[in-house]
Each structure stands twice: as structure tokens, then as C-alpha cells.
Amino acid sequence: MRTIKIRRMMILSAALLLGPILSAGCTRIHDKPAAEVLHLVLAGMAGSDGVSFEGASSLLLDGNPAPEASLFYGGTVSDHNKVSLHTFLPDGGTPQTAAGAGENKLKSSSAAAAAYYTRLEKKNGQWTLLQEDSTASPDNPLPALNPLRQLEELENLEIEVSEEAGAARGTRVLRIELSEPEAGRQLAAELEGQMKAIRPDTSGSEQKETGKEEEALQLLWEKKNNELQQKLKEVSVRTVYYLQVDTKRNLPKRLTCTRRVNDPANQGTTGGGAEEIYLTEVNFYGYR
């Protein structure tokens, strides 16, 4: 009997000693620094089999919405590296959970009627457009809105990560700001990619008139590209992401991005174009 009592006391003592240690370990998981939480979330997203998402994007020019640039979209991720995206109307009968604070402004847009569909697959570290199953038009905005690519980018950009106070229970909200040079490089890469997509193909011209037309288009493209490069040197760019994290599963719930582009040369001019604000938001649900 005495032996049993001694064993019980030893077990109880061990429990009393281990209890605070285990509790402290759980607390540390929730109290990890914001940058480490971001790394864990990105790793968790990469390991997820699939997820559905809905999003919205809009553009403000000097504080005024540009309806032609407003877009609602949705899609799915499957097999870790395949993404399907499609546009839809904000009032077409599908519940809209991704419009966020800009929902009322975006609903006034008639441009959302433009229909696009895109399928992407990651091959050799690059996201590849599957042309046979996609809207292959150069003005298709969906490839740039691939939420997996947006999250992956954060791993390699120059960023400062902090945490926002007042997050809902069971979540943390990370504030991720790009350095100003990095924000400029990111914008330049995106715009240069768009310019490359619409560059005229001047190879294989057989008819003289057709050749002249293509040459004129090439000259026009070069002019616009030079203007773009000059403008990129003049503007200042500030880009901030907010990532809402499900702390139970260490997976994203919502990702928003605000990019402010200011052109000091046009500051104060009539009709100005002094500031452009590009807003995107995507909500994730139905993890598999």
C-alpha cells in the first residue's frame, strides 16, 4: 500500500510540474512573433490540398472609383498547385462575401459583366496559364489575382511584419508592409508583364501592307513602353497587406492589399491623376 501511495504522489508531482510547462508551450504557439506566424501560415497554405475563395478588386483615382476597373471573382485551389478563377456579377444570385468595405461602390460597376475564366498550374516554380482552358486575352485580369501567387510572393519580398490589435477571437491579423523600393519593383514587374503580353508579333509578315501595319504597332508599343518606364521612375509606391489568420489551423482567412501610387509631378494639377489606390481582397473558405 505504501508503494502505491508513493507512486501516486510521484505521478501527481510530475503532473503538477509538467502542467505549467505544457500550458506555457501552448501559450507560446499563440504568442509567436508576427513574422514567424506569417511563415507558419504560408507553409500551412502550401500543405493544404485545396480551398475555395472569393475576391474583389477596385481602383480609386484621386479618391474616385473607376467602375471599369472593378471586378468580382471566385475560384478554387486543388492538388496544391492548380488554380481556377472566374469572374461573376455582384448581384447575380451568388452570395458575395468578399466585397468587404468597398461593396457598395463596386456594385455600381457595369464593367463586372465582362466574363473571364482562367486555369493556372504551377510548373517548375512558375505559374503557367493553361491556354486551352482559359480566356487567353491579354487584358484578362485574373492571372494577376491568383491568391496562391500573392501569398507566395510575401515569402521573398522585403517586408516588415507586425500585428494589429483587436482581432476577432480565434484569429490574428498581420500587417505586412513592403519596403518602398520593393513596392516599386513589384509594381514595375506587374506592369512590364502586362506590356510584354500585348507586344505585337512582327515575325513572319508576308504581305507588305500587313508588315507596315505591324511595324506601326511595334513603334506605338515602344513609345508607350518608354512612357511607362519613365513614369515608373517618377512615382512613389506604398503597398500594405493585411492577413487574417485562423489561429486554430494556422491558415489564411482573408488577405487584403492596398497599393498607393503617387505621382508628385501631377500633384495639384486639374484632373490630376496624382494618386491611384488599387484595392484587392480575397476570402478563403472550405479548406480540404
Side-chain angles (χ1 to χ4, degrees):
M1 290 293 293
R2 184 175 180 182
T3 304
I4 294 174
K5 288 183 179 179
I6 292 173
R7 286 179 180 175
R8 286 178 178 174
M9 290 178 63
M10 291 175 64
I11 293 171
L12 179 60
S13 299
L16 291 172
L17 287 170
L18 289 173
I21 295 173
L22 294 176
S23 299
C26 293
T27 302
R28 284 197 295 269
I29 290 174
H30 291 282
D31 289 345
K32 286 183 180 296
E36 190 172 346
V37 172
L38 175 61
H39 177 74
L40 290 172
V41 169
L42 297 178
M45 189 67 172
S48 176
D49 289 334
V51 66
S52 299
F53 57 86
E54 291 181 2
S57 66
S58 62
L59 177 68
L60 304 179
L61 302 175
D62 284 337
N64 300 311
E68 68 279 2
S70 298
L71 184 73
F72 287 87
Y73 62 96
T76 59
V77 178
S78 59
D79 299 330
H80 303 284
N81 63 345
K82 296 177 182 177
V83 177
S84 298
L85 302 101
H86 58 271
T87 54
F88 52 76
L89 291 170
D91 53 358
T94 302
Q96 305 304 309
T97 61
E103 183 174 15
N104 293 332
K105 293 181 180 178
L106 293 177
K107 280 190 175 181
S108 64
S109 170
S110 60
Y116 294 99
Y117 173 70
T118 291
R119 291 184 67 228
L120 300 156
E121 184 174 2
K122 192 174 184 180
K123 298 179 179 179
N124 300 320
Q126 299 294 325
W127 286 99
T128 303
L129 182 67
L130 302 180
Q131 298 283 2
E132 68 273 13
D133 294 320
S134 305
T135 306
S137 171
D139 62 351
N140 183 354
L142 291 178
L145 294 170
N146 174 5
L148 252 59
R149 181 192 62 80
Q150 293 177 21
L151 287 167
E152 290 169 354
E153 275 192 344
L154 298 178
E155 194 80 83
N156 301 311
L157 297 174
E158 292 180 5
I159 57 176
E160 181 178 335
V161 186
S162 57
E163 184 169 1
E164 293 290 289
R169 185 176 182 180
T171 69
R172 294 178 69 173
V173 177
L174 307 182
R175 183 182 185 277
I176 306 159
E177 181 168 3
L178 274 60
S179 67
E180 187 170 346
E182 189 70 274
R185 286 191 291 268
Q186 185 192 55
L187 174 62
E190 291 178 11
L191 294 179
E192 287 167 358
Q194 293 173 16
M195 286 297 295
K196 183 178 180 180
I198 63 173
R199 183 169 188 168
D201 183 6
T202 57
S203 62
S205 299
E206 296 180 0
Q207 298 182 0
K208 189 174 182 180
E209 290 185 5
T210 303
K212 287 182 178 179
E213 291 175 0
E214 290 181 347
E215 183 179 353
L217 286 174
Q218 177 67 21
L219 291 173
L220 177 60
W221 182 90
E222 291 176 356
K223 177 184 176 182
K224 294 300 181 182
N225 189 54
N226 289 335
E227 291 175 358
L228 171 63
Q229 296 300 326
Q230 182 58 40
K231 185 62 67 176
L232 287 171
K233 294 177 182 178
E234 298 172 355
V235 299
S236 64
V237 187
R238 184 185 180 194
T239 302
V240 179
Y241 294 85
Y242 287 92
L243 178 62
Q244 185 182 39
V245 178
D246 181 339
T247 56
K248 184 177 181 180
R249 295 184 293 178
N250 277 341
L251 288 170
K253 287 178 65 70
R254 175 184 296 172
L255 178 68
T256 67
C257 177
T258 301
R259 173 188 283 158
R260 296 177 180 269
V261 183
N262 287 278
D263 185 357
N266 287 337
Q267 195 72 41
T269 59
T270 304
E275 183 178 59
E276 297 181 4
I277 304 177
Y278 182 58
L279 307 168
T280 62
E281 177 183 346
V282 60
N283 288 272
F284 302 93
Y285 61 92
Y287 280 98
R288 299 180 289 280

